[in-house]
């Protein structure tokens, strides 16, 4: 089989698989948070033009390298700047919020942009004791995620019993699709609740497959979803050469290495500066680890690897979470990915 025919076969095996984007509004050296947020909205417009299925934004608090701290606010900006693409959160960290308030926020979004909104919900709390105190939360709040999730969905159906005679307006009666992010016990909670699962990342393939198998075997049909639905999330970088694609991974890998050794997650740095750094041995190990296991390369290489991912996981959707310093390279990567996946408007 020639390289071109192999690429065609890999692309064909992706038929029917949805491709979506999660952008964390990463800041870059020399730019502020406002620029990062504007870049997120611009990326959403590009993703819509290229035919991606949905565009999600995230929630992080007190992280110097991430501007996305208010996902429902940013989702409103994204939805207002686009016309077709589905918009949601990857995710709202439910333990940080009162379920009624979350229901109200998504009720407003769905009312303004009907049929385009989804709730991606996670169970993480703030990264440090100081952040958790500022949010009025502690680590134990994550243990109540299943209970909070049940209450949240009840605000939409009108069946919540935690607060009799209280109603979430305008959420009550609306159908905003919920998705559970598989952090910790998230996969089992998603299965028990009968909800779609968002799970990553692609680097820990054996753990990923084990969690997906457990989700499918434990899934109980619900009013929200009749059968399991799996979204696999991870970094995917596509470029003209394998080396160019690998360079796209360097800024995020260094940010992770720096955070693991210095306790601060910094803005993205350019690859050429990272190459000139004198890293400690521990930083070098974390950095090398951060470069491994992602899906990257030419269109042919990425198509083949994604076909393998879909075959192994049975995923109905791939959620691409790539961050890098070079915005032009990032846009080109998403354009190439849309091409190899055969999305509608490339």
């Amino acid at each position: 089989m020639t390289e071109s025919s192999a690429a065609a076969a890999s692309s064909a095996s992706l038929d029917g698989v949805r491709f979506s984007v999660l952008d964390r509004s990463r800041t870059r050296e020399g730019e502020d948070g406002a620029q990062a947020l504007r870049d997120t909205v611009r990326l959403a417009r590009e993703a819509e033009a290229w035919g991606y299925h949905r565009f999600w934004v995230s929630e992080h608090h007190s992280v110097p390298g991430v501007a996305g701290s208010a996902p429902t606010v940013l989702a409103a900006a994204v939805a207002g700047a686009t016309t077709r693409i589905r918009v949601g959160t990857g995710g709202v960290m439910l333990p940080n919020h009162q379920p009624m308030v979350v229901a109200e926020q998504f009720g407003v979004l769905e009312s303004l942009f009907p049929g385009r909104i989804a709730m991606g919900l996670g169970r993480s709390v703030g990264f440090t004791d100081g952040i958790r105190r500022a949010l009025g939360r502690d680590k134990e709040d994550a243990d109540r995620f299943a209970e909070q999730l049940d209450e949240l969905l009840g605000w939409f159906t009108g069946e919540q019993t935690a607060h009799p005679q209280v109603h979430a307006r305008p959420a009550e009666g609306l159908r905003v699709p919920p998705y559970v992010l598989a952090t910790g016990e998230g996969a089992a909670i998603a299965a028990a609740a009968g909800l779609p699962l968002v799970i990553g990342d692609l680097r820990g393939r054996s753990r990923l497959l084990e969690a997906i198998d457990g989700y499918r075997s434990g899934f109980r049909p619900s009013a929200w979803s009749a059968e399991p639905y799996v979204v696999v999330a991870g970094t995917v970088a596509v470029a003209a050469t394998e080396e160019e694609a690998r360079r796209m991974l360097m800024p995020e890998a260094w940010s992770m290495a720096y955070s693991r050794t210095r306790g601060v997650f910094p803005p993205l740095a350019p690859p050429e500066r990272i190459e000139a750094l004198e890293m400690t041995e521990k930083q070098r190990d974390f950095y090398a680890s951060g470069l491994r296991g992602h899906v990257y390369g030419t269109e042919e290489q990425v198509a083949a690897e994604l076909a393998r991912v879909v075959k192994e996981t049975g995923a109905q959707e791939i959620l691409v979470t790539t961050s890098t310093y070079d915005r032009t390279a990032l846009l080109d990567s998403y354009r190439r990915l849309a091409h190899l996946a055969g999305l509608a408007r490339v």
Side-chain angles (χ1 to χ4, degrees), residues 116-289:
R116 295 179 57 205
I117 302 300
M119 294 186 295
L121 305 163
R123 64 187 296 270
S124 297
V125 291
F127 299 121
T128 67
D129 289 339
I131 296 171
R132 288 189 288 271
R133 284 194 298 270
L135 292 169
R137 298 293 185 266
D138 56 41
K139 288 183 178 179
E140 288 69 32
D141 285 303
D143 298 332
R144 297 181 52 244
F145 178 67
E147 173 190 338
Q148 292 177 312
L149 180 62
D150 183 65
E151 180 186 334
L152 172 63
L153 299 181
W155 288 113
F156 287 94
T157 63
E159 297 171 341
Q160 69 82 26
T161 57
H163 305 281
Q165 299 181 330
V166 181
H167 302 270
R169 311 290 189 193
E172 190 170 306
L174 297 179
R175 296 280 297 183
V176 180
Y179 294 75
V180 172
L181 277 62
T183 54
E185 300 299 317
I189 292 171
L195 299 179
L197 174 70
V198 182
I199 186 166
D201 61 24
L202 295 169
R203 291 182 295 174
R205 198 66 58 87
S206 61
R207 294 192 302 274
L208 180 76
L209 296 176
E210 181 181 356
I212 290 173
D213 287 344
Y215 164 72
R216 288 202 174 99
S217 63
F219 185 86
R220 298 190 304 195
S222 71
W224 298 94
S225 187
E227 57 189 24
Y229 186 90
V230 175
V231 182
V232 171
T235 295
V236 180
V238 196
T241 68
E242 183 177 352
E243 179 56 31
E244 287 178 47
R246 185 180 182 277
R247 284 180 67 81
M248 289 181 60
L249 307 177
M250 293 169 60
E252 190 73 21
W254 168 242
S255 288
M256 291 298 297
Y258 190 91
S259 70
R260 296 288 297 273
T261 55
R262 298 290 185 89
V264 176
F265 195 67
L268 296 169
E272 55 271 19
R273 193 174 77 76
I274 296 169
E275 290 173 324
L277 290 172
E278 293 186 8
M279 301 183 193
T280 66
E281 182 177 353
K282 183 176 289 188
Q283 285 175 335
R284 180 70 60 185
D285 289 343
F286 282 132
Y287 176 66
S289 175

